[in-house]
Amino acid sequence: MKRILVVDDEMAIVTLLKYNLETAGYQVTVAMDGQKAFDEAVTDQYDFILLDLMLPKLDGLEVTKRLRQEKIKTPIMILTAKGEEYDKVIGLELGADDYLTKPFSPREVLARIKAIARRTTEATDEETPATSSKKSQEIYQFPDFTIDLVNYSVTRNGEKIKLTPKEFELLAYFVKRPQRVLSRDKLLNGVWGFDYVGQTRMVDMHVSHLREKIEHDPHQPQYIETVRGFGYRFEGEANQDH
C-alpha cells in the first residue's frame, strides 16, 4: 500500500484529501504544521508528500528546501492559494515535482499523483544492470560545461554548477536530443511526466534559469535556442565519454 504524507493546517482540506486518498487505496498520515511534516518525512518512508505552503512553524517552501538538502527524494506536490504565483515558482526551484492551486478536485489530485508515480516507476524500471552500466559511462563535455549523468553533476573548469533537480533533468533531456526541435508540451511530458494544459510556463522558467547557469551570454544563448512558435532546440555538440 502506497503511503502519502498530507500536510495542511486546514482541517476541511485534510479531511477531504484523507477520505479520497484512503478510498483510492493509499495509507495516509497527516501533519498540520511544517516542523512535524519535516520530522515525519526524514524519519519515516513515504511514497508521496502533499504539502501546503502556508503552514505554522515552518512554511512549505522551507520544508521542501530542507528535505532536498537532506537528500529526501520523495515526490512533493505543493498546494498553493490562487495568488501565490511567486511561491509556486520558488517551490519548483527548490525541488518540488508539481503544484496544485486551491481550490482543486480530489480527482485531479489523484491524477497528478498517478502521473508522477508512473514517471518515477518508469525511471526505476529502466535501471537494469546493462542500462545502469551504460549510464555510468555517460559524460557529455561541452566547451563551457561538462554534464555527468551518473553523479548528477554539472561542472565548469572543475567548479560545480548548482542546478535544481528539475534543471538537471531538463538539461539531460536536451543533451540526449541535440539538434531536435522540442515543443514545450514534449519537454513537459518528458521531464515532469504530465502534459496538463497551462503548465508549459514551467518549461520556460526552467529554460531561462538553465541559460543563466550554463550560457556565456544568456541573452544570446549558444546552447538552448528558442524556435519561435515551436519550442526549443539544443545546439551543443558534445564530446561523449563511454
Side-chain angles (χ1 to χ4, degrees):
M1 183 179 290
K2 297 287 187 181
R3 303 187 66 208
I4 295 182
L5 178 61
V6 172
V7 189
D8 202 300
D9 63 339
E10 294 183 51
M11 184 54 70
I13 291 177
V14 168
T15 302
L16 176 70
L17 288 172
K18 190 171 188 296
Y19 172 78
N20 284 277
L21 289 169
E22 288 180 341
T23 300
Y26 295 97
Q27 181 180 336
V28 178
T29 299
V30 172
M32 300 191 73
D33 66 67
Q35 185 62 58
K36 183 178 179 182
F38 176 78
D39 293 342
E40 281 284 343
V42 297
T43 58
D44 210 340
Q45 290 231 318
Y46 292 93
D47 298 288
F48 207 88
I49 300 172
L50 286 172
L51 179 65
D52 187 35
L53 287 184
M54 302 300 291
L55 293 166
K57 298 185 180 179
L58 291 178
D59 65 32
L61 295 178
E62 185 64 23
V63 173
T64 301
K65 178 182 176 181
R66 293 189 185 188
L67 289 178
R68 294 315 187 217
Q69 287 175 338
E70 292 291 328
K71 309 301 182 185
I72 303 297
K73 296 182 179 180
T74 307
I76 297 172
M77 181 157 61
I78 57 176
L79 308 176
T80 73
K82 190 172 183 179
E84 295 171 344
E85 181 70 20
Y86 175 78
D87 288 337
K88 294 174 190 174
V89 172
I90 297 300
L92 294 168
E93 280 294 285
L94 290 174
D97 297 85
D98 195 3
Y99 69 84
L100 267 180
T101 301
K102 299 177 182 179
F104 47 77
S105 71
R107 181 177 295 180
E108 185 175 12
V109 174
L110 290 167
R112 297 286 189 94
I113 290 172
K114 289 177 181 178
I116 294 174
R118 184 166 57 247
R119 173 172 61 84
T120 304
T121 300
E122 288 171 355
T124 302
D125 290 345
E126 289 174 359
E127 290 297 318
T128 63
T131 58
S132 180
S133 175
K134 180 180 178 182
K135 181 178 177 182
S136 69
Q137 300 170 351
E138 287 188 345
I139 298 176
Y140 294 81
Q141 296 181 337
F142 298 91
D144 293 324
F145 66 93
T146 299
I147 178 170
D148 183 341
L149 297 184
V150 181
N151 298 308
Y152 298 96
S153 68
V154 181
T155 56
R156 177 188 291 121
N157 299 325
E159 295 288 328
K160 189 171 183 179
I161 300 174
K162 293 183 179 180
L163 300 183
T164 67
K166 276 292 175 284
E167 288 170 355
F168 184 88
E169 288 182 48
L170 181 59
L171 180 58
Y173 196 87
F174 272 129
V175 301
K176 290 180 178 180
R177 296 162 180 81
Q179 311 301 322
R180 286 172 54 181
V181 177
L182 301 169
S183 70
R184 289 171 174 81
D185 285 334
K186 177 73 174 177
L187 291 166
L188 186 67
N189 194 49
V191 177
W192 282 266
F194 59 88
D195 54 0
Y196 295 105
V197 175
Q199 304 296 319
T200 54
R201 185 178 179 278
M202 284 196 292
V203 175
D204 295 333
M205 176 189 74
H206 281 77
V207 166
S208 176
H209 291 163
L210 264 181
R211 284 172 170 166
E212 292 286 341
K213 294 176 180 180
I214 69 169
E215 300 280 5
H216 177 69
D217 182 356
H219 301 292
Q220 295 183 321
Q222 174 185 353
Y223 295 105
I224 306 175
E225 176 186 328
T226 299
V227 182
R228 295 192 181 281
F230 293 95
Y232 298 98
R233 178 171 53 220
F234 190 80
E235 292 287 356
E237 290 288 342
N239 295 320
Q240 186 178 359
D241 289 348
H242 293 278

